[in-house]
Amino acid sequence: MVRGGISTRLRTPLYHVVGNLTGVRYQNEMLQPLVVPALQAIGPRAILQDDNAPPHRSAAVNTFIQQARVNWMLWPANSPDLNPIEHMWDELCRRVQQHHPPPANLGQLLQWLQQEWNGVPRAFICNLIHSMRQRCVECLAHNGGHTRY
């Protein structure tokens, strides 16, 4: 599993998660070294949006987020997945499958993933993020049901 973050101004490097991701690991291996510096580089209006996975909602992470003064988007459990990163993962998968033969090993796959992650045009990412308002409007109009997103 790999994780990463996107914004209209930058993207984090991909992070390869080995084993089970706990709240403490999420904080120490991802939030502290990758996510918080990226959010600080974006500026005071940056907002962290995650997917409500249990490691993202642990007590340790909650305390850390508050202490780091991160703007954190509250996201209801079992809500429709409107996170633009999901479309970024789809694009990354398509790019790797189109531009590469099957990888010979995990290291090669991780290298290709990072290469393609870095190659996704900024305009594509900006379009995903700027579509967030319309995603929410359509979700509400469909009472939380299926939308074109």
Side-chain angles (χ1 to χ4, degrees):
M1 174 175 37
V2 294
R3 300 279 178 118
I6 57 173
S7 77
T8 58
R9 294 175 47 199
L10 56 83
R11 70 191 90 187
T12 67
L14 284 181
Y15 179 78
H16 176 217
V17 179
V18 178
N20 292 329
L21 184 64
T22 64
V24 171
R25 284 190 62 207
Y26 176 59
Q27 175 186 327
N28 293 337
E29 298 173 25
M30 295 171 65
L31 283 177
Q32 210 161 20
L34 301 171
V35 176
V36 170
L39 292 169
Q40 289 170 340
I42 294 166
R45 294 183 55 190
I47 300 172
L48 173 63
Q49 180 184 8
D50 59 39
D51 62 3
N52 268 341
H56 301 163
R57 294 293 181 248
S58 72
V61 167
N62 189 33
T63 299
F64 175 78
I65 292 287
Q66 289 176 7
Q67 290 173 346
R69 296 188 176 152
V70 168
N71 297 318
W72 198 11
M73 182 181 287
L74 296 176
W75 204 247
N78 301 318
S79 64
D81 194 350
L82 301 174
N83 194 333
I85 194 78
E86 297 304 329
H87 293 278
M88 182 68 166
W89 297 134
D90 290 343
E91 178 66 12
L92 182 61
C93 184
R94 277 191 296 277
R95 292 173 69 92
V96 168
Q97 290 174 347
Q98 288 175 353
H99 296 106
H100 302 283
N105 54 50
L106 178 60
Q108 189 175 54
L109 174 60
L110 292 171
Q111 179 183 3
W112 290 346
L113 286 168
Q114 186 66 62
Q115 177 184 337
E116 295 299 341
W117 173 263
N118 293 340
V120 174
R122 184 170 170 251
F124 177 86
I125 296 169
C126 288
N127 286 339
L128 289 178
I129 292 168
H130 291 301
S131 71
M132 189 67 191
R133 180 181 306 271
Q134 188 59 36
R135 290 170 191 273
C136 291
V137 167
E138 284 196 31
C139 183
L140 289 170
H142 291 89
N143 296 319
H146 180 73
T147 69
R148 66 186 174 107
Y149 294 102

